């Protein structure tokens, strides 16, 4: 029995160690499931803001296809040709074009940050290929697309998020400003009528609708918040939005999580005056939305916040952890592809 005593003493240690291993393994899996490898987002996403940029023929940068040099247009044509040959859908072409415009200005340059080279500024030291390979536009486009198509649900991510998931840039929002130009290039160089894959272009509010909704909401500033109230003397958050858009000729559902579904979606940082912003317990799960605000532009919003407060104007807390990453453009065609 004395020989077995040391073994009995080891049993609790083995049990604790085993439990710790199980905890770490399940914790890692939960983390991976929750982050999607860094690309977690609301499923079914399709970018209404990108459709607007496509319609206007320019992105946030102000560049258009007409302003590109012959070299830039040739590189854009090469990217589209490689993507077509791979059988990748037009949205992948769009992501690749926006990425190359940001990384190299659509020029096949032989220099960059540290050892970054080529159209996509890929680094040989990070496993992208040899210097000669990443300086070959066909190779660099091919390997970019290979990595993009491996991202889970890449086609349901905003263009800038999909690009960042592949590139791991120090400036993750930088790709957004080239989305409109990339969509125009896909449309112009490849004859694709709907490069976003979102269906009819209905991402623009009727003339004057946003201004009318904002004017109504501002006229209610100072009126008390009362849960369940829809005016005219008191409001809750969704009640204020309901009446503001009724004044603009747009009918919204009654509660905030339903209002999230009442139009096309755009990334919050591309919100325009008249878009709805939301808070949710889990920002990636629309079912947990519990608050809605009206974006006024210039980083300001109007809201009916909570009991004890009145309708007010305040800056948008862009860094708040409950801010849903998508805004809704009321009255436009919902653009979920789920």
């Amino acid at each position: 029995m004395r020989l077995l005593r040391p073994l009995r003493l080891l049993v609790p240690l083995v049990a604790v160690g085993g439990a710790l291993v199980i905890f770490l393994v399940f914790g890692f899996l939960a983390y991976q499931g929750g982050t999607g490898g860094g690309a977690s987002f609301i499923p079914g996403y399709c970018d209404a803001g990108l459709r607007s940029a496509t319609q206007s023929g320019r992105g946030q940068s102000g560049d258009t296809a007409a302003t590109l040099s012959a070299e830039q247009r040739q590189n854009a044509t090469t990217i589209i040709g490689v993507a077509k040959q791979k059988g990748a859908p037009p949205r992948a072409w769009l992501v690749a074009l926006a990425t190359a415009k940001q990384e190299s200005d659509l020029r096949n340059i032989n220099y960059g940050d540290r050892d970054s080279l080529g159209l996509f500024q890929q680094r040989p030291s990070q496993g992208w290929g040899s210097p000669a390979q990443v300086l070959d536009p066909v190779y660099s486009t091919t390997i970019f697309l290979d990595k993009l198509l491996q991202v889970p649900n890449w086609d349901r991510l905003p263009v800038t998020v999909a690009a960042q998931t592949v590139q791991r840039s120090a400036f993750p929002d930088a790709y957004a400003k080239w989305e409109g130009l990339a969509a125009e290039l896909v449309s112009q160089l490849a004859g694709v009528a709907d490069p976003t894959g979102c269906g009819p272009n209905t991402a623009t509010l009727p003339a004057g609708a946003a201004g009318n909704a904002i004017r109504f909401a501002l006229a209610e500033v100072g009126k008390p918040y009362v849960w369940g109230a829809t005016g005219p003397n008191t409001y809750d958050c969704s009640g204020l939005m309901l009446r503001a858009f009724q004044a603009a000729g747009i009918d919204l559902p009654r509660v905030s999580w339903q209002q999230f579904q009442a139009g096309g979606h755009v990334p919050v940082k591309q919100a325009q005056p008249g878009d709805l912003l939301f808070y949710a317990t889990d920002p990636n799960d629309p079912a947990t939305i519990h608050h809605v605000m009206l974006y006024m532009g210039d980083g300001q919003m109007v809201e009916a916040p909570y009991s004890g407060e009145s309708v007010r104007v305040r800056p948008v807390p862009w860094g708040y952890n409950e801010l849903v990453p998508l805004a809704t453009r009321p009255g436009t065609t919902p653009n979920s592809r789920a």
Side-chain angles (χ1 to χ4, degrees):
M1 294 299 292
R2 288 182 178 178
L3 292 175
L4 294 176
R5 187 175 181 183
L7 294 177
R8 288 201 302 269
L9 293 174
L10 286 174
V11 169
L13 294 175
V14 171
V16 171
L20 180 60
V21 169
I22 292 171
F23 173 78
L24 291 173
V25 169
F26 277 94
F28 173 77
L29 293 175
Y31 171 79
Q32 289 293 94
T35 62
S40 179
F41 218 76
I42 296 173
Y45 180 82
C46 186
D47 191 340
L50 181 53
R51 291 193 301 190
S52 293
T54 307
Q55 182 183 39
S56 67
R58 66 178 65 236
Q60 296 177 31
S61 66
D63 285 25
T64 69
T67 66
L68 297 184
S69 68
E71 176 194 4
Q72 290 171 312
R73 290 177 69 86
Q74 180 56 53
N75 286 327
T77 300
T78 298
I79 289 170
I80 291 173
V82 172
K84 277 184 176 180
Q85 192 171 20
K86 286 184 64 65
R91 191 171 179 88
W93 317 352
L94 198 151
V95 175
L97 287 165
T99 302
K101 186 66 171 73
Q102 169 58 29
E103 296 292 351
S104 69
D105 197 28
L106 276 172
R107 295 181 297 126
N108 192 33
I109 52 179
N110 61 358
Y111 58 88
D113 178 50
R114 287 168 284 189
D115 60 334
S116 300
L117 298 168
L119 277 175
F120 294 88
Q121 288 291 278
Q122 293 155 338
R123 297 182 60 193
S125 65
Q126 299 301 308
W128 286 94
S130 70
Q133 285 176 317
V134 298
L135 281 168
D136 176 357
V138 173
Y139 173 89
S140 62
T141 301
T142 299
I143 194 169
F144 175 85
L145 290 169
D146 285 344
K147 291 183 179 292
L148 173 66
L149 297 176
Q150 291 172 11
V151 174
N153 297 319
W154 70 269
D155 58 336
R156 296 183 177 184
L157 300 174
V159 171
T160 190
V161 175
Q164 168 63 6
T165 303
V166 176
Q167 296 293 104
R168 302 295 182 185
S169 169
F171 305 98
D173 298 322
Y175 305 102
K177 65 178 176 289
W178 305 117
E179 292 175 351
L181 173 63
E184 184 195 7
L185 288 170
V186 171
S187 178
Q188 185 179 112
L189 299 179
V192 177
D194 179 25
T196 64
C198 298
N201 189 338
T202 55
T204 304
L205 283 171
N212 288 336
I214 292 170
R215 277 190 292 273
F216 179 94
L218 289 177
E220 308 308 291
V221 168
K223 293 186 178 180
Y225 175 99
V226 173
W227 186 84
T230 60
N233 299 316
T234 58
Y235 294 93
D236 67 7
C237 64
S238 54
L240 178 63
M241 301 303 107
L242 177 75
R243 299 306 181 201
F245 279 92
Q246 279 183 349
I250 296 172
D251 290 326
L252 291 182
R254 171 64 186 92
V255 297
S256 57
W257 67 267
Q258 292 173 332
Q259 291 176 354
F260 176 79
Q261 307 291 353
H265 295 142
V266 298
V268 288
K269 290 189 178 179
Q270 296 178 24
Q272 297 177 5
D275 289 350
L276 297 178
L277 308 179
F278 299 87
Y279 294 156
T281 306
D282 177 355
N284 286 328
D285 182 0
T288 68
I289 287 173
H290 58 80
H291 187 56
V292 58
M293 306 82 73
L294 177 57
Y295 185 59
M296 298 166 51
D298 296 324
Q300 300 290 308
M301 66 184 190
V302 57
E303 63 172 349
Y306 45 78
S307 296
E309 266 289 355
S310 300
V311 176
R312 65 185 184 183
V313 173
R314 68 185 295 249
V316 178
W318 298 114
Y320 182 44
N321 62 3
E322 290 197 358
L323 181 65
V324 174
L326 299 178
T328 295
R329 192 156 295 164
T332 65
T333 303
N335 51 0
S336 170
R337 297 189 299 172

